Amino acid sequence: MKKYDFIIAGGGMAGLSLAYYLLQSPLRDRSILILDREPKSQNDRTWCFWERGPLTTQTDQSEGLLTRSQPFESILFRTWKSISFHGTTYSGMLDMGPYQYKMLRSIDFYAFMEAELAKWPTIERKQATIQRIKDTPQGGFVIADDEPYIANYVFDSTFALKLDQPENHNLLQHFKGWVITTSTPCFDPKRPEIMDFRVDQQGDCRFMYVLPFDEKTALIEYTLFNSTLLLDQEYDTELRKYIDQFIETGGYQIRETEYGVIPMSDEPTQENPSEHIVRIGTSGGFTKPSTGYTFHRTQRCLQDIVQCLVETGKPQRTVPWFKRRFKLYDSIFLNVLEKRRHPADDIFTRVYTENPQRVFTFLDEDTRFSEEIQLFATMPFWPFLKAFFAVLRRKIAG
């Protein structure tokens, strides 16, 4: 049985990104096996995220270290320098400062990765269903389609969180979107709407995205933060209602459909459950619990892991103790949503309109504590205070 340096279990966004960063580092000569149960040949999702202006440095060859990079600038489907928001007391543009709002289609990402990975003879890719992953004294052990594989390290994006433990908050971000083409020009290509709360909230957090491609084409997406998925026709009903009420299409055609569910959970995750196994992506806790944002955070975490491998030979990254305060913030916000302590549309209106630029830095977990206090001061006091003590009680009891 051949032993690999690295096995990547799951060839989705996290697994492929990790392979890319390994190949951009001094570890590019290591043997890598990527296992995934299906080919990546369809546009099965769209990633949207905000990010500061593009960086140019990727690898410092003199030091042999991987630096922060934004390698997917060339394949972004759209980039916007300003965004629109429609809340309870404000409707208009938001000041993003140095940030840009970016949209990446999965089909473009997969094609990019296919071309990049094909350049390296050290990469093997196999289509197989992973049945078991375990640690052994000899390394990480994987069984896929009844075939055994072993590596110095296995990077696993297939591990499923429980999402049902009572001591944790376990909400879902679920959404359905249509790419529509309209008969009349009705979209401003320079003005995406990241949150439009002019939909029936039904006691939850519900909003629409409108991401224009051109004057006649846009992705319209209905998104909910709660614990219960809808029937397929319920998403369709809300999409039609919103388009008919707020967009003068002159008639439209549905070109594409996408659907997704992202966990919004503060369930503790083990990024390093054993010596030779590392969990990545949602499995490793890379999804931000309070927003469901995954793509940008995953890229940052994976670059840190590769950096650790280059510097120490081990993939165990260290998160500073004080940085863990953001997990508490996430839990508090999830508690406010779960217990419906305050209307979510008003919370988001306050956080976005009263914290220009700062909110994006905060959600990226790059703020100083003094800036966080300023942001918290704009939130409804009593609901968040009650949530704070509820979180403490739940964690102590758990």
Side-chain angles (χ1 to χ4, degrees):
M1 178 172 54
K2 176 181 177 180
K3 186 174 184 179
Y4 297 86
D5 289 301
F6 309 120
I7 292 176
I8 297 176
M13 180 268 288
L16 293 175
S17 296
L18 174 62
Y20 176 83
Y21 292 128
L22 288 168
L23 294 174
Q24 298 302 308
S25 79
L27 304 174
R28 61 182 62 87
D29 61 341
R30 307 298 173 85
S31 58
I32 302 172
L33 171 64
I34 303 174
L35 296 169
D36 197 79
R37 64 183 178 184
E38 55 190 23
K40 301 301 182 187
S41 57
Q42 296 181 347
N43 189 53
D44 52 10
R45 66 199 64 206
T46 300
W47 297 294
C48 291
F49 54 98
W50 52 76
E51 197 171 37
R52 289 179 180 268
L55 305 175
T56 55
T57 303
Q58 291 191 25
T59 305
D60 186 338
Q61 298 290 353
S62 63
E63 298 292 336
L65 301 180
L66 186 75
T67 59
R68 290 251 183 243
S69 62
Q70 298 172 358
F72 310 121
E73 291 295 306
S74 64
I75 58 171
L76 291 174
F77 188 65
R78 291 291 184 277
T79 300
W80 296 281
K81 295 182 178 179
S82 57
I83 54 177
S84 182
F85 175 87
H86 201 118
T88 54
T89 59
Y90 175 84
S91 177
M93 305 302 291
L94 296 177
D95 180 10
M96 295 191 72
Y99 289 88
Q100 297 176 352
Y101 195 66
K102 300 178 178 182
M103 180 180 184
L104 176 60
R105 300 195 318 158
S106 60
I107 190 65
D108 299 324
F109 174 83
Y110 298 146
F112 173 84
M113 286 299 181
E114 185 78 27
E116 288 295 318
L117 300 185
K119 299 175 183 178
W120 299 90
T122 53
I123 291 280
E124 289 184 44
R125 299 179 70 178
K126 293 187 178 182
Q127 187 174 334
T129 299
I130 296 168
Q131 298 158 306
R132 188 179 183 188
I133 297 174
K134 70 173 184 177
D135 200 14
T136 72
Q138 293 75 36
F141 188 74
V142 181
I143 296 178
D145 285 351
D146 298 321
E147 290 291 328
Y149 304 93
I150 193 167
N152 292 331
Y153 291 106
V154 173
F155 296 93
D156 177 21
S157 65
T158 67
F159 178 81
L161 304 180
K162 293 184 178 66
L163 302 178
D164 61 359
Q165 304 302 297
E167 67 270 21
N168 305 316
H169 301 87
N170 299 296
L171 300 180
L172 300 170
Q173 177 185 148
H174 48 114
F175 54 87
K176 185 172 185 178
W178 291 343
V179 175
I180 66 170
T181 299
T182 64
S183 297
T184 60
C186 54
F187 301 114
D188 182 349
K190 296 182 179 180
R191 183 168 178 163
E193 189 97 40
I194 66 160
M195 280 184 160
D196 189 338
F197 284 97
R198 291 177 297 176
V199 295
D200 186 358
Q201 296 296 292
Q202 300 184 39
D204 292 325
C205 177
R206 305 183 179 212
F207 55 91
M208 291 285 182
Y209 281 100
V210 181
L211 303 179
F213 304 167
D214 54 48
E215 292 182 341
K216 291 186 176 183
T217 311
L219 170 62
I220 316 293
E221 194 159 273
Y222 181 46
T223 303
L224 302 87
F225 296 169
N226 62 17
S227 58
T228 306
L229 302 180
L230 304 183
L231 298 174
D232 192 57
Q233 59 265 31
E234 293 180 277
Y235 298 100
D236 292 347
T237 297
E238 293 300 324
L239 284 164
R240 289 193 187 94
K241 186 188 302 182
Y242 178 84
I243 294 171
D244 292 344
Q245 185 172 357
F246 297 111
I247 305 175
E248 297 181 2
T249 64
Y252 63 90
Q253 293 183 331
I254 301 171
R255 286 175 40 191
E256 298 177 24
T257 299
E258 68 174 37
Y259 173 79
V261 181
I262 301 171
M264 298 176 66
S265 173
D266 56 1
E267 176 181 329
T269 54
Q270 290 182 292
E271 186 175 318
N272 302 102
S274 57
E275 183 179 358
H276 303 103
I277 296 173
V278 183
R279 292 175 184 157
I280 60 174
T282 298
S283 300
F286 295 175
T287 296
K288 186 167 178 61
S290 59
T291 63
Y293 274 91
T294 303
F295 185 87
H296 182 51
R297 282 170 58 87
T298 295
Q299 303 307 315
R300 296 177 72 167
C301 293
L302 293 176
Q303 290 182 58
D304 288 344
I305 287 174
V306 174
Q307 184 78 56
C308 289
L309 273 169
V310 171
E311 293 179 339
T312 69
K314 296 183 178 181
Q316 287 82 13
R317 65 191 184 102
T318 301
V319 179
W321 177 85
F322 194 54
K323 188 81 169 179
R324 299 174 187 175
R325 69 191 185 277
F326 289 98
K327 291 186 178 295
L328 174 62
Y329 302 160
D330 286 330
S331 293
I332 293 170
F333 182 69
L334 288 176
N335 186 272
V336 171
L337 290 180
E338 180 189 78
K339 300 301 182 182
R340 300 180 176 181
R341 298 186 186 278
H342 192 85
D345 52 356
D346 180 63
I347 293 173
F348 279 102
T349 300
R350 294 187 190 205
V351 75
Y352 277 109
T353 60
E354 298 183 35
N355 299 276
Q357 299 184 38
R358 184 190 301 127
V359 62
F360 303 107
T361 309
F362 173 73
L363 293 175
D364 275 347
E365 302 183 359
D366 290 334
T367 44
R368 297 185 296 271
F369 186 63
S370 59
E371 296 174 298
E372 293 151 24
I373 295 299
Q374 291 176 290
L375 185 143
F376 298 154
T378 66
M379 296 293 95
F381 179 76
W382 289 112
F384 276 81
L385 183 64
K386 292 176 182 177
F388 170 73
F389 285 110
V391 168
L392 292 185
R393 287 195 300 270
R394 183 178 289 192
K395 296 300 181 184
I396 292 172

